[in-house]
Amino acid sequence: MVRSRRVITPDGETPAAVVVEHGRIVAIRPYDATASAASDVDLGDTVLAPGLVDTHVHVNEPGRTEWEGFATATRAAAAGGVTTIIDMPLNSLPPTVNAEALRIKQAAATGQCHVDVGFWGGAIPGNAADLPALHAAGVFGFKAFLADSGVPEFPPVDREQLAAAMAAADALFVIHAEDPDHLHDAASSPAYADFLSSRPADAEHAAVATAIAVARAANRRVHILHLSAASALPLIAQARADGVRVTAETCPHYLTLDAGRIPDGATEFKCCPPIRDAANADRLWAALADGLITCVVSDHSPCTPELKRQDTGDFAAAWGGIASVQLGLPVIWTAARDRGHALAEVVSWMATRPADLAGLPDKGRIAVGADADLVAFDPDATFVVDAHALHHKNPVTPYAGKTLHGVVRTTWLRGRPVTGAEKHGHFLTKGHR
């Protein structure tokens, strides 16, 4: 039993005692209920929340384990209150573009996972015939890039190739939405503004329009990944009003970082699509509050310090990706509380809605029958981010030195504390039960 005067349930925040048997929540009782439990943890005023679900994580193993790996990524996730991740089909070698590649990735992950792990498949030119078997093998859907992914083994699809992929598999398609015709080669420069100008909002706007049009014609679910450009929001709203099954996510860095405050040479801030200005972030927050953007996920995409070109500070040459799987909850809570949002809203954005997106009814909620994935979270405590103290493999993050509100005290996976001493994460497939 785990008790708290502040339990975040689907009905809101309430005092309660959560009863766990065999890894599942079997009852939710009054805070002061008595029970003959083997373990009875009283958190007092520390919040008890459901474990977060991060549906956008690049683990990079096998093949690029010097960037990240399942042991380090999942340990960082657990330390940040994330109990489920879904791994992207790149930048591993091989990428997860057929059933055999999925088996290779699962073999690499076996015995290494501190939290539960699912997998996305990939849609690339020429692999449409492989998608039904890959879907049957348990991936949650298929990721496609409409622009260069940054790695040669995962090329982008054009409109016709995306249509062929959607015709081949009745699945969720998750799209990196930037249109290559609107992107420009970035000049070698330490100035963030020079990089930002190479990836304008128009590129996202055009690619979102393409993804929606193809999904509309194919009658498929489509999800826009890491939405950065608020100018694309009206397209999504109109498509949803028209009956297109389209959703969108954004990320902590797009909500909390400001292009105008990124120092020259600070390549830890580089990601694609890019971080835009504060006015754009305000519009993303408004869309999140009204449900047009459904969830907030990390897009944890780390690499080595050398690939970030910290020696030269050249944004054009640096790898684009933000390392943040351990920090998403305090980053978003710090900003959300300043904007008047309740912690229950943050839990919805980062736990319940991502679980719903992936079709995981047992995850992301404190409810009878759900997995006992729980987080003890102190929302009033503060800490200063030390990149070297984080659990992901390489100590690079744009949040280094920032003071954040909210400290994860304990994370439980199916009722068992995640301490790093042992790994008891499971592999998940769509419709997990």
Side-chain angles (χ1 to χ4, degrees):
M1 180 178 286
V2 185
R3 310 169 186 270
S4 169
R5 296 185 184 91
R6 301 184 63 188
V7 178
I8 308 294
T9 74
D11 296 324
E13 184 178 310
T14 186
V18 178
V19 184
V20 178
E21 291 182 5
H22 306 298
R24 289 192 179 272
I25 297 170
V26 296
I28 299 175
R29 295 179 178 166
Y31 170 72
D32 56 358
T34 58
S36 56
S39 173
D40 192 338
V41 178
D42 190 341
L43 299 177
D45 291 326
T46 298
V47 170
L48 183 65
L52 305 189
V53 177
D54 193 337
T55 54
H56 196 150
V57 177
H58 294 267
V59 177
N60 306 334
E61 186 175 12
R64 290 189 173 96
T65 49
E66 70 275 15
W67 296 15
E68 189 65 282
F70 283 98
T72 49
T74 59
R75 182 69 187 97
V82 178
T83 51
T84 298
I85 67 168
I86 304 185
D87 173 59
M88 283 294 170
L90 73 164
N91 302 296
S92 56
L93 294 169
T96 314
V97 294
N98 55 49
E100 176 59 22
L102 175 63
R103 287 190 286 271
I104 291 170
K105 180 170 281 190
Q106 289 173 328
T110 296
Q112 294 207 66
C113 300
H114 294 274
V115 302
D116 286 354
V117 177
F119 304 90
W120 294 108
I124 62 174
N127 83 326
D130 295 310
L131 301 187
L134 182 53
H135 199 224
V139 299
F140 284 82
F142 299 102
K143 180 176 187 176
F145 276 76
L146 300 185
D148 181 23
S149 72
V151 292
E153 67 275 1
F154 203 96
V157 295
D158 60 24
R159 186 184 186 116
E160 290 72 27
Q161 291 162 338
L162 180 60
M166 287 190 178
D170 185 3
L172 172 62
F173 284 79
V174 299
I175 308 298
H176 180 118
E178 289 183 288
D179 188 308
D181 292 338
H182 291 75
L183 301 178
H184 316 295
D185 291 335
S188 179
S189 171
Y192 182 76
D194 291 339
F195 165 67
L196 178 59
S197 67
S198 73
R199 304 187 90 95
D202 286 352
E204 285 190 80
H205 191 280
V208 168
T210 296
I212 288 171
V214 176
R216 185 194 303 268
N219 190 24
R220 290 288 187 257
R221 288 177 65 202
V222 66
H223 179 72
I224 306 301
L225 297 169
H226 46 45
L227 184 70
S228 159
S231 62
L233 289 167
L235 287 175
I236 297 167
Q238 184 59 57
R240 192 177 295 179
D242 292 343
V244 180
R245 294 178 292 165
V246 57
T247 51
E249 69 187 34
T250 194
C251 304
H253 38 283
Y254 300 129
L255 292 166
T256 66
L257 301 178
D258 178 358
R261 295 178 177 271
I262 295 177
D264 286 354
T267 53
E268 63 270 24
F269 288 85
K270 180 181 176 180
C271 56
C272 300
I275 295 161
R276 305 192 189 276
D277 62 27
N280 181 83
D282 288 341
R283 293 177 64 191
L284 295 178
W285 276 103
L288 185 62
D290 69 19
L292 183 56
I293 294 175
T294 55
C295 51
V296 179
V297 292
S298 70
D299 189 13
H300 178 72
S301 186
C303 67
T304 62
E306 293 76 19
L307 286 173
K308 272 296 187 184
R309 298 309 303 264
Q310 293 184 315
D311 54 341
T312 65
D314 183 358
F315 276 97
W319 174 260
I322 301 289
S324 63
V325 70
Q326 186 172 337
L327 296 172
L329 178 56
V331 166
I332 289 297
W333 172 236
T334 299
R337 63 186 281 161
D338 288 344
R339 290 173 176 265
H341 293 288
L343 185 55
E345 293 177 89
V346 173
V347 166
S348 176
W349 301 332
M350 303 188 76
T352 312
R353 289 184 185 174
D356 291 346
L357 171 74
L360 289 171
D362 305 333
K363 299 292 189 181
R365 69 210 77 215
I366 294 178
V368 173
D371 286 353
D373 299 344
L374 305 169
V375 178
F377 182 66
D378 186 342
D380 298 318
T382 62
F383 69 102
V384 177
V385 177
D386 176 0
H388 292 275
L390 300 174
H391 290 282
H392 68 257
K393 182 163 288 187
N394 291 292
V396 179
T397 178
Y399 302 108
K402 292 186 180 296
T403 298
L404 300 178
H405 286 269
V407 173
V408 172
R409 300 298 188 191
T410 306
T411 299
W412 292 267
L413 180 67
R414 289 185 305 280
R416 297 172 64 183
V418 182
T419 64
E422 59 178 312
K423 306 175 181 74
H424 51 274
H426 291 179
F427 292 156
L428 303 177
T429 57
K430 57 185 186 299
H432 163 73
R433 213 21 156 162

